[in-house]
Amino acid sequence: MKRVKKKIFHDYIARQGLKSTRQRDIILEAFLSSDRHLSIEELYLKLRVKHPNIGYATVYRTLKLFAESGIAREMQFGDGQTRYDHVGEGEHHDHLVCTGCGAIIEFENETIETLQNEVAAAHGFLIKTHKLELYGLCARCRG
């Protein structure tokens, strides 16, 4: 899957007339290797350890390109930071967001997906895309 996303991104930047650079490739590898919803700052700080020559603005612009190319999704979870999530063809998941510690838990539930489609159909509505975010306290914060 990583190889496919890399190809999608490289094809996108080529169509946009942009260069494939070593810095973009390093950022891409770090993003695709992460299993978290990363903010720009989190990815920047992760990269800075081994690649101090990659600036914050470069990470920012590259994450925006990931979203434009379709390999990432910009997500807002109410903490004021934009986070970036991996996107794959046919992949979908929803989120539990802890308002205490900020943890984000991904989940999939076919019953919820089916119910959403039934509700939409009952109203003559065709769902193109959706997101479900449930806010509350994780088990650790509930203590």
Side-chain angles (χ1 to χ4, degrees):
M1 184 56 86
K2 214 188 254 194
R3 190 169 24 96
V4 171
K5 290 181 182 181
K6 286 179 179 182
K7 180 168 178 12
I8 290 169
F9 178 67
H10 286 117
D11 289 350
Y12 174 78
I13 60 174
R15 284 193 310 274
Q16 298 301 310
L18 301 170
K19 294 178 183 174
S20 179
T21 66
R22 178 160 157 58
Q23 286 187 333
R24 284 186 181 138
D25 287 341
I26 290 168
I27 296 167
L28 179 60
E29 183 63 36
F31 174 72
L32 294 176
S33 296
S34 174
D35 60 355
R36 300 182 49 228
H37 299 78
L38 291 171
S39 69
I40 298 162
E41 184 172 357
E42 288 169 335
L43 184 55
Y44 167 70
L45 292 173
K46 179 180 175 178
L47 287 164
R48 193 173 71 172
V49 175
K50 289 185 179 176
H51 307 281
N53 59 325
I54 296 178
Y56 184 88
T58 301
V59 174
Y60 172 84
R61 286 190 304 269
T62 304
L63 282 171
K64 290 287 189 187
L65 286 173
F66 294 168
E68 290 170 15
S69 73
I71 66 166
R73 176 186 307 116
E74 291 182 346
M75 309 286 293
Q76 301 285 338
F77 292 110
D79 62 357
Q81 289 192 2
T82 300
R83 296 183 185 283
Y84 291 82
D85 188 18
H86 298 237
V87 175
E89 189 63 38
E91 291 179 17
H92 177 76
H93 58 263
D94 297 305
H95 300 93
L96 299 169
V97 182
C98 181
T99 56
C101 68
I104 301 166
I105 302 163
E106 294 180 353
F107 71 94
E108 296 176 19
N109 185 301
E110 193 55 43
T111 304
I112 292 172
E113 298 301 313
T114 300
L115 183 58
Q116 288 170 161
N117 291 331
E118 289 173 2
V119 169
H123 294 277
F125 193 82
L126 174 65
I127 298 172
K128 294 289 189 171
T129 185
H130 78 279
K131 64 179 180 176
L132 176 62
E133 298 167 3
L134 303 171
Y135 293 84
L137 295 174
C138 68
R140 192 178 77 218
C141 289
R142 287 180 51 212

